[in-house]
Each structure stands twice: as structure tokens, then as C-alpha cells.
């Protein structure tokens, strides 16, 4: 399987000469000898307001709940209800306080961008892919590359695609798209490509191998997702910020969601545009240099990353053992532990990503994220981590754990309704009393607490809209009336979708603690629709639970049924609501009315238009590219193998079974179609890694 000498020059053009950096796994048991400095009064005040305010509101709300249940003898179920209410309330209080801080600490006029000479610095736009749509990923890179060329920044940037794709049909389209991308940008910007043969440690392992082999070539790396897009001015600013601060390790942008074509995607991108900046500014204010990293659309100092962010393999039992899946939170915490600053620029525009198109696609993505976040419980014990980084991890865990707590709170409410119904025969004490020992509530105080809780939930939305009213980049293209209608529509659907996510996340948590692995599935970014039968299977139990709870509440406590009606309606109609989440027709209608719009749709940007145009051209070309065309067409075959690195030499005693099997099937076949029909995907991959055997297959006749 060695590569002939006459092909070495071709392979060298696919990747640059190696410039290795050591990236050792970090020891969680060893605390680095690093001094962290005072971050100023701004961060202190923001932390007091955020955490002090959240704790104060939680204490008040919990005290009110205690008073509500203290009208008589408090039962065990009532104390459980108080405890669960406290746990769930504190997280909505934190979001509300962060929004208040973000509203007061706007930071837009105060955020100074340092101007530093970056002519001698080199940044790589690093695009990890895993069976993604090659037309979409390469179109985004093309548009960013063209923007950089136009801004005279091409000397400071290179593009590097690091692939983990293991689907043969996707891989051949990927190499064909990369060839077209290189033709479009060369020689102005260098475009490199490498595909890994072993998907060890998933995305984190992919980036680790890149840093280990080519890290010393670059000062900074800007890590992208397959749907990332950044303007040239944003890329320039990030590079200047990093170059001007020698202690800066990671600078995270606030990506805006865009290109939403379904109802769910448009709900998400509207919320991100209107409410997101308020919460992001609040988080930025209190976290200071103890920030977080979201895995993409952020610039990283490569040497610092290599020295301090190597991930170990976790021991123990599932779900905590193995490779760290949600690597970004941990990498940020490790870099901060080593003394590097990790911060966010929430006022910096020109950073975008896409939303999952439907509720079903979010559920698939969240399954992987939930498992990765739960793993952080094992990382929390690492020595030397800053408390804000630990809090980021706890927040990630509670993003999913809050759902089973909320569901348990509902079940306890239903159980108490049943208890009260049967109390006249079950709950009289042995003491002389004219009244039974049933749970008693202060109904007037309960209504007040409910209104207070709903108000806290709505604080980020209301403050976000108020800010948007006075923020001309949002007010002018969207309009005050349409923004207000958009908030009402988004709030309406959020209420309906929230209980569905409650049960989805609860199941995720149960599966994770049962040791079920999430696997590594490709995120579907272009929605093709979900059959009704599949939706019915996905949400059958959600509907049953909603109907069951509604029946029990109707029989035992009609008042509780009224209180729970928003939750129960969402569950009962989970199947049509899930189908509606992927609706393009409703999304188009709302867009026509100007509801749920974002500024990028009203005033289309050149970088987005350029991306869409190149994506269409690539799709027109790639529709004819597949494994069969690589065999039949010498030009496509040559293009593919111009980017293919040699497979690693097999270890003794471990023969390349897939490669051997593919060769045997080629020798045994009467034609190409027969040989391919016999092959598994792994055998096709082995074939696509070897030009000689592919040429042998091409010499067979075609049916």
C-alpha cells in the first residue's frame, strides 16, 4: 500500500510540510503553579449582581413556597416539591440576572479593539468535517477566502480542511469540492486538505492530530464548524485582538444564527438576534477572563493550546469514562488553569452559524451534547480549575438535568392531587382532630408566586426586545411592531416546545446513566423532512404521557389541570408540533409578513450571497460525482487521489482486512458494478485510498 514516488509531489501539495507541536494530555491531579490576577471592579460588580441577585431571588421564591405549603402539617411530598422548585428556579433566576447585567453593562461603546501589526503572524481557518455536505462547507470557505483577498489579508491566513469523513460517497464529493475550492482561491490563499484514517477521539482528536503535525506553522487557529461563516473584518479584528494581548489564549465570538428555512430554525435565529446579545453581554461581564469556549467561531493561540489543553482519556465507569466528548468547555478551563485568558467579544458582529432545522434534529444533536456535558461531572474534580470554569460545566450539566427535575416536580404535583382526593379515608391521624392530615396550600400566595416565576422567565425576552427598540441595527431593518409580533410568536412556540424537550432530555439523561453511548452521528443541516410515521414513533410516548396526565388531573384536580394546561397541550400535540417545526411553508409566510426576520435577511450581505452562489455551482457539479464516477472518469479519479494521503502501514499481526477483501472482490468480479455491489463502505474506503487498485477496477467492463 505504499505510495509510488511519482505521486509524492502531488501529496505534498495536499498538505504543507509538517511543523509538529507536542500536545501532551493534561494531568487533572496536578495543579499548575499559576497566579491569577485581579480582573477589576466591573467583573466583581457583575458577579455580585448575577449570582447575588439569583441567590436572593431563589431564597425569596423558595421562602414563599415554604409559606404556601406551611398552612398545615407539611408532608414529605410537599418538602420534595419545595426542594425541586428551588433547584429549577435558581437556573431561570441566573438567566434573568445575567440579562439584567447585560442590559446595564452594554459594553458596545466601551469595547476597544486594539490595533496591532499582524503582518508577521499567520492564522489558519481550521475546518473539521465529518460526513458533512461538501458543497456547503467549501462554499463558506470560498466566501471567507474571497473576502480576505479583497481585504488584502490573504498573506495572513490559510485554509485547512481536516476531514474525519468515513462515508465513501461523501468522501469523493468532499475531495472533488476541495479541488474546486483550491482552484478558485489559489494562488491568493493556500488551501490544504487532510483526511484521517482513524477517527479516534472524534473532533477533539481530529484537532489534536492537526496541532501535533502542523501546529508550529501557525500562530493562531480559528476553529470553524461545518456551518460557520465569518466576515473578513471580524477575522482581522480577532487576529489583532489576539496579537495585541500576549496572555490571550481564546477569544470567542457570539455567532448569530442565519439561513433558517424552517419554522424551528427561524424561531431560533430570531431569539438569538434579539435576546442573545443581552444574555451574552451579561455572561461576558461576570466571567471576565474566566470565559468559555463553544468549539467554533473562536480564535486560539496554537502554542498555548498545545501546551495546556491536551485532553486525557477519562477512567471509571460509563457515562464518565472514555474520550471527552464536549471538549470545548474543558479546553477553555485547562487553558485558563494554565494562566491564559479566555474571553468573549459579544459586540463583535460578522460571525454566523446555522440552526438545526427541526425539533427532531435538535433531539439527535442534544443526545450527544448531553452525554458530553454529563461527563463534565468527572472533570469538576480536576485540580486548579477556576470557579467560573467549574460553573460553566455545571451550567452545561443543568441544561439537561433540569428537565428530569422539572418533570419530577410535575409528577409530585399530580401525586399530591391524588393524595388530597383520597385523604378522607387514608390520612386521618390517631390524634383527636376535626380535620384530616391532608396537604394544605395558600392558594393566593401560590398565584402570586406563579406570576413572579413567569415574570422571571420572561425577563431576558423583554429586556432583549427593549434593547432592540433602541438599537438601530435591529430597529431599522426589522421595525418595532414586527419585532414585538416576533417575540409573541417565538414565546408562544417556546411554551409549546418546552415540555417536549423536557421529556426528550429526561430520556437522554436516563439513557446516559444506563451506559448507552450516543455514537457520532452527522448533524443534518439541510432539512429534507421527517415522515409522519417516524414522528409518530418519536413522540408516541410524549403524547401518551400528556394524555395520561391530563386524564389524571381532570379526574382528581381540575384546578391542577388548568395550571398544567400549557405543558400538557405541548405534550398531547407533540407529533403535529414536531412536524410543524420543520415547516418551510409556515416559515415563508412569516418571513413574508416580516415576522421572525433577522437583519441579514432584510439587508443581504455580499459574503452570504457569495457563499450561496458558490454552493449552487458546487452542487451542480457534485451531483455527477460518486464512487462510480471516480472509477469511470480518469479526471475525477486524478482529482480525488491528488488529495489522498497513504494509508498507515499495518501493524504486525493486524492485516488490513478491508483492503485485502476489496482487492479479492475486484479480482473475482466480472464487472465494476458487481465488484462495488459486493463491497461494504469500509472496503470502498480502502479502495478509494489506493490508486492502483482503483485503476484495476476501472479496467473492468461496465454493465
Amino acid at each position: 500500500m505504499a505510495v509510488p514516488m511519482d505521486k509524492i509531489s502531488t501529496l505534498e501539495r495536499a498538505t504543507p510540510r509538517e511543523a509538529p507541536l507536542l500536545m501532551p494530555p493534561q494531568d487533572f491531579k496536578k495543579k499548575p503553579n499559576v497566579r491569577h490576577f485581579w480582573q477589576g471592579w466591573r467583573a466583581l460588580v457583575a458577579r455580585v449582581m448575577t449570582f447575588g441577585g439569583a441567590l436572593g431571588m431563589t431564597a425569596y421564591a423558595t421562602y414563599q413556597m415554604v409559606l404556601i405549603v406551611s398552612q398545615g402539617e407539611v408532608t414529605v411530598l410537599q418538602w420534595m416539591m419545595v426542594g425541586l422548585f428551588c433547584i429549577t428556579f435558581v437556573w431561570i433566576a441566573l438567566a434573568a440576572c445575567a440579562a439584567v447585567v447585560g442590559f446595564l453593562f452594554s459594553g458596545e461603546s466601551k469595547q476597544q479593539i486594539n490595533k496591532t501589526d499582524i503582518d508577521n503572524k499567520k492564522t489558519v481557518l481550521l475546518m473539521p468535517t465529518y460526513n458533512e455536505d461538501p458543497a456547503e462547507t467549501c462554499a463558506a470557505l470560498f466566501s471567507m477566502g474571497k473576502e480576505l483577498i479583497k481585504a488584502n489579508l490573504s498573506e495572513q491566513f490559510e485554509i485547512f480542511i481536516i476531514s474525519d469523513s468515513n462515508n465513501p460517497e461523501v468522501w469523493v464529493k468532499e475531495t472533488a469540492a476541495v479541488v474546486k475550492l483550491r482552484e478558485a482561491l489559489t494562488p491568493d490563499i493556500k488551501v490544504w486538505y487532510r483526511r484521517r484514517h482513524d477517527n479516534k477521539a472524534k473532533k477533539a482528536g481530529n484537532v489534536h492530530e492537526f496541532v501535533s503535525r502542523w501546529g508550529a506553522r501557525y500562530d493562531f487557529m480559528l476553529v470553524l464548524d461545518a456551518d460557520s461563516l465569518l466576515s473578513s473584518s471580524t477575522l482581522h479584528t480577532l487576529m489583532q485582538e489576539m496579537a495585541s494581548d500576549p496572555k490571550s489564549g481564546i477569544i470567542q465570538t457570539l455567532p448569530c444564527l442565519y439561513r433558517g428555512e424552517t419554522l424551528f430554525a427561524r424561531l431560533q435565529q430570531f431569539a438569538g438576534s434579539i435576546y442573545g446579545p443581552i444574555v451574552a453581554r451579561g455572561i461576558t461581564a461576570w466571567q471576565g477572563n474566566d470565559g468559555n469556549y463553544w468549539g467554533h467561531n473562536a480564535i486560539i493561540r496554537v502554542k498555548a493550546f498545545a501546551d495546556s489543553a491536551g485532553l486525557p482519556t477519562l477512567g471509571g465507569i460509563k457515562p464518565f469514562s472514555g474520550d471527552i466528548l464536549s471538549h470545548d468547555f474543558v479546553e477553555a478551563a485547562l487553558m485558563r488553569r494554565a494562566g491564559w485568558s479566555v474571553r468573549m467579544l459579544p459586540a463583535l458582529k460578522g460571525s454566523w452559524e446555522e440552526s438545526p432545522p427541526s425539533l427532531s434534529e435538535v433531539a439527535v444533536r442534544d443526545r450527544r451534547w448531553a452525554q458530553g456535558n454529563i461527563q463534565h461531572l468527572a472533570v469538576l474534580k480536576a485540580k486548579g480549575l477556576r470557579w467560573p470554569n467549574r460553573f460553566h460545566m455545571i451550567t452545561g450539566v443543568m441544561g439537561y438535568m433540569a428537565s428530569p427535575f422539572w418533570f419530577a416536580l410535575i409528577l409530585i404535583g399530580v401525586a399530591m392531587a391524588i393524595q388530597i382526593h383520597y385523604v378522607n379515608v387514608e390520612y386521618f391521624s390517631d390524634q383527636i382532630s376535626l380535620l384530616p392530615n391532608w396537604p394544605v396550600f395558600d392558594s393566593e400566595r401560590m398565584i402570586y408566586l406563579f406570576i413572579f416565576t413567569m415574570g422571571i422567565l420572561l425577563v431576558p425576552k423583554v429586556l432583549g426586545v427593549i434593547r432592540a427598540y433602541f438599537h438601530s441595527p435591529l430597529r431599522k431593518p426589522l421595525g418595532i411592531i414586527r419585532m414585538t409580533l416576533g417575540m409573541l410568536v417565538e414565546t408562544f412556540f417556546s411554551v409549546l416546545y418546552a415540555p417536549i424537550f423536557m421529556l426528550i432530555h429526561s430520556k437522554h439523561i436516563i439513557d446516559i446513566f444506563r451506559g448507552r453511548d450516543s455514537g457520532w452521528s452527522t448533524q443534518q443541516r439541510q432539512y429534507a423532512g421527517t415522515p409522519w410515521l417516524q414522528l409518530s414513533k418519536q413522540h408516541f410516548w410524549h403524547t401518551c404521557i400528556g394524555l395520561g396526565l391530563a386524564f389524571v388531573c381532570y379526574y382528581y384536580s381540575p384546578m391542577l389541570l388548568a395550571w398544567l394546561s400549557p405543558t400538557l397541550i405541548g405534550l398531547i400535540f407533540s407529533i403535529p408540533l414536531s412536524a410543524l417545526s420543520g415547516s418551510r411553508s409556515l416559515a415563508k409566510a412569516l418571513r413574508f409578513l416580516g415576522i421572525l426576520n433577522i437583519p441579514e435577511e432584510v439587508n443581504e450581505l455580499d459574503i452570504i450571497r457569495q457563499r450561496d452562489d458558490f454552493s449552487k455551482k458546487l452542487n451542480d457539479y457534485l451531483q455527477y460525482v460518486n464512487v462510480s464516477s471516480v472509477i469511470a472518469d480518469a479526471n475525477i479519479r486524478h482529482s480525488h487521489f491528488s488529495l489522498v494521503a497513504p494509508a498507515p502501514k499495518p501493524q504486525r499481526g493486524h492485516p488490513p482486512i478491508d483492503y485485502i477483501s476489496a482487492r479479492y472482490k475486484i479480482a473475482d468480479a466480472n464487472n465494476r458494478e458487481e465488484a462495488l455491489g459486493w463491497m461494504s463502505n469500509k472496503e470502498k474506503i480502502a479502495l478509494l485510498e489506493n490508486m492502483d487498485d482503483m485503476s484495476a477496477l476501472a479496467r473492468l467492463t461496465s454493465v
Side-chain angles (χ1 to χ4, degrees):
M1 298 180 68
V3 181
M5 291 301 296
D6 61 347
K7 296 174 188 169
I8 293 295
S9 59
T10 301
L11 293 177
E12 284 183 340
R13 290 198 300 273
T15 58
R17 294 189 181 277
E18 294 196 2
L21 271 182
L22 289 178
M23 191 170 178
Q26 298 300 301
D27 187 352
F28 285 174
K29 298 179 181 179
K30 184 178 180 181
K31 181 180 179 181
N33 185 21
V34 175
R35 182 183 177 187
H36 295 276
F37 295 95
W38 165 253
Q39 298 192 39
W41 289 102
R42 178 185 173 89
L44 177 62
V45 171
R47 289 174 180 182
V48 170
M49 291 180 64
T50 301
F51 294 97
L55 289 175
M57 285 195 296
T58 302
Y60 171 77
T62 304
Y63 176 67
Q64 293 299 314
M65 179 61 78
V66 171
L67 293 180
I68 288 170
V69 302
S70 297
Q71 298 302 300
E73 182 177 338
V74 184
T75 67
V76 173
L77 284 178
Q78 284 177 309
W79 281 122
M80 291 175 64
M81 183 177 69
V82 171
L84 288 170
F85 173 81
C86 177
I87 292 172
T88 53
F89 187 91
V90 69
W91 297 103
I92 65 172
L94 280 166
C97 289
V100 171
V101 171
F103 189 77
L104 298 176
F105 290 65
S106 65
E108 290 195 26
S109 60
K110 298 178 182 179
Q111 191 172 34
Q112 298 297 323
I113 303 301
N114 296 309
K115 304 299 181 183
T116 300
D117 182 23
I118 58 172
D119 288 343
N120 61 340
K121 302 293 184 182
K122 181 73 75 173
T123 298
V124 60
L125 301 183
L126 191 65
M127 175 71 84
T129 65
Y130 175 68
N131 296 329
E132 300 283 355
D133 183 341
E136 295 294 311
T137 55
C138 288
L141 291 171
F142 168 81
S143 190
M144 286 186 276
K146 283 295 186 183
E147 285 272 305
L148 289 170
I149 295 168
K150 185 178 178 181
N152 295 319
L153 294 170
S154 57
E155 292 297 319
Q156 285 77 47
F157 287 87
E158 292 184 359
I159 293 172
F160 211 129
I161 301 161
I162 52 174
S163 173
D164 263 341
S165 298
N166 56 10
N167 181 318
E169 295 293 347
V170 172
W171 185 27
V172 296
K173 290 181 184 292
E174 186 174 88
T175 55
V178 172
V179 168
K180 292 296 183 183
L181 175 66
R182 298 180 81 189
E183 290 174 354
L185 295 180
T186 304
D188 298 298
I189 289 185
K190 292 183 174 66
V191 179
W192 309 109
Y193 176 84
R194 183 274 293 145
R195 175 187 167 273
R196 267 203 312 174
H197 299 276
D198 180 7
N199 299 143
K200 185 180 186 305
K202 303 182 174 63
K203 181 179 177 179
N206 197 359
V207 175
H208 181 279
E209 185 189 282
F210 165 80
V211 172
S212 300
R213 293 179 63 183
W214 294 286
R217 180 181 176 88
Y218 304 103
D219 298 287
F220 317 126
M221 62 180 182
L222 206 142
V223 182
L224 305 169
D225 245 1
D227 54 10
S228 295
L229 185 68
L230 291 97
S231 69
S232 59
S233 61
T234 300
L235 294 171
H236 188 211
T237 297
L238 288 171
M239 197 170 175
Q240 284 187 321
E241 277 284 327
M242 184 67 77
S244 66
D245 181 3
K247 294 303 295 179
S248 184
I250 300 177
I251 301 177
Q252 175 70 62
T253 66
L254 177 63
C256 295
L257 298 175
Y258 81 126
R259 295 184 80 215
E261 296 181 350
T262 62
L263 173 65
F264 188 85
R266 297 188 64 75
L267 291 168
Q268 294 293 100
Q269 68 184 26
F270 176 83
S273 293
I274 305 299
Y275 323 139
I278 285 287
V279 177
R281 285 181 173 84
I283 293 172
T284 301
W286 71 254
Q287 70 184 12
N289 291 332
D290 300 311
N292 205 3
Y293 167 47
W294 300 335
H296 58 91
N297 291 40
I299 192 168
I300 300 174
R301 190 177 300 273
V302 179
K303 183 65 167 61
F305 187 79
D307 290 342
S308 59
L311 300 179
T313 301
L314 298 177
I317 60 173
K318 292 181 178 181
F320 308 110
S321 61
D323 298 321
I324 297 175
L325 300 180
S326 292
H327 54 91
D328 37 17
F329 283 40
V330 182
E331 288 161 347
L334 291 175
M335 290 192 71
R336 187 64 187 130
R337 181 177 79 155
W340 300 98
S341 70
V342 179
R343 56 195 178 96
M344 183 162 66
L345 300 180
L348 182 62
K349 302 302 180 183
S351 175
W352 300 277
E353 63 176 331
E354 296 179 42
S355 168
S358 70
L359 189 149
S360 298
E361 299 303 332
V362 176
V364 172
R365 182 198 66 180
D366 280 2
R367 175 62 180 87
R368 184 175 69 253
W369 284 10
Q371 182 171 328
N373 287 6
I374 293 297
Q375 274 188 319
H376 292 166
L377 293 173
V379 179
L380 287 173
K381 61 185 180 183
K383 293 184 178 180
L385 299 184
R386 297 277 289 168
W387 74 261
N389 295 116
R390 296 184 196 273
F391 179 76
H392 287 312
M393 294 183 195
I394 293 172
T395 302
V397 172
M398 282 302 298
Y400 297 97
M401 287 297 299
S403 290
F405 288 144
W406 178 22
F407 188 42
L409 188 60
I410 293 173
L411 293 179
I412 287 175
V414 174
M416 284 194 295
I418 297 173
Q419 183 187 51
I420 292 171
H421 182 83
Y422 289 111
V423 75
N424 59 336
V425 295
E426 301 250 352
Y427 284 88
F428 283 102
S429 68
D430 294 332
Q431 298 177 357
I432 298 175
S433 174
L434 296 177
L435 293 173
N437 260 343
W438 55 32
V440 181
F441 298 93
D442 184 337
S443 58
E444 184 176 343
R445 194 181 299 270
M446 182 180 290
I447 293 172
Y448 168 77
L449 182 58
F450 175 79
I451 295 172
F452 177 72
T453 303
M454 292 300 102
I456 296 299
L457 273 170
L458 291 173
V459 163
K461 297 180 187 292
V462 173
L463 290 181
V465 169
I466 292 174
R467 171 198 170 259
Y469 289 163
F470 296 95
H471 186 57
S472 58
L474 288 173
R475 184 186 68 251
K476 288 182 179 179
L478 303 183
I480 291 177
I481 295 176
R482 289 191 294 271
M483 279 194 294
T484 305
L485 291 173
M487 184 193 76
L488 295 175
V489 171
E490 190 277 332
T491 301
F492 172 76
F493 281 105
S494 293
V495 169
L496 294 177
Y497 285 128
I500 305 175
F501 278 116
M502 174 189 71
L503 292 187
I504 288 173
H505 291 167
S506 296
K507 184 178 184 302
H508 288 347
I509 296 300
I510 293 171
D511 287 345
I512 290 166
F513 281 99
R514 290 177 64 188
R516 293 184 176 180
D517 186 48
S518 64
W520 192 19
S521 57
T522 304
Q523 183 175 321
Q524 297 300 314
R525 306 179 196 274
Q526 285 74 47
Y527 188 59
T530 305
W532 278 91
L533 180 59
Q534 183 177 337
L535 289 174
S536 300
K537 291 179 180 179
Q538 289 174 350
H539 300 288
F540 173 76
W541 286 109
H542 303 160
T543 305
C544 290
I545 290 171
L547 289 171
L549 288 174
F551 175 79
V552 170
C553 290
Y554 176 78
Y555 184 80
Y556 290 106
S557 176
M559 181 62 70
L560 182 60
L561 176 62
W563 282 88
L564 291 179
S565 58
T567 298
L568 298 179
I569 289 172
L571 294 178
I572 291 170
F573 294 99
S574 58
I575 295 173
L577 281 171
S578 184
L580 197 63
S581 71
S583 171
R584 282 192 171 91
S585 57
L586 180 56
K588 282 184 179 180
L590 290 171
R591 181 172 180 176
F592 176 78
L593 296 172
I595 299 174
L596 301 180
N597 283 3
I598 59 174
E600 289 85 348
E601 295 171 331
V602 179
N603 301 315
E604 189 179 11
L605 302 176
D606 288 340
I607 187 173
I608 297 175
R609 186 185 305 110
Q610 192 168 238
R611 177 200 190 285
D612 292 342
D613 290 344
F614 194 71
S615 175
K616 184 179 183 304
K617 291 177 182 178
L618 277 181
N619 274 312
D620 290 343
Y621 169 68
L622 294 179
Q623 64 178 318
Y624 303 107
V625 177
N626 50 43
V627 175
S628 296
S629 68
V630 174
I631 299 169
D633 191 316
N635 291 327
I636 297 177
R637 186 162 65 249
H638 176 77
S639 294
H640 171 76
F641 282 101
S642 71
L643 297 176
V644 174
K649 184 179 179 181
Q651 297 180 357
R652 293 184 63 202
H654 295 83
I657 301 300
D658 296 317
Y659 171 69
I660 295 170
S661 178
R663 291 192 67 182
Y664 182 88
K665 290 175 180 179
I666 292 172
D668 210 29
N670 292 322
N671 53 65
R672 300 171 191 167
E673 289 74 18
E674 187 176 40
L676 283 178
W678 289 340
M679 291 184 191
S680 66
N681 276 352
K682 288 185 177 180
E683 290 167 343
K684 290 177 183 177
I685 288 288
L687 179 67
L688 290 165
E689 291 176 338
N690 191 282
M691 178 177 271
D692 292 335
D693 290 308
M694 181 63 78
S695 298
L697 181 56
R699 287 192 291 271
L700 290 178
T701 58
S702 178
V703 175

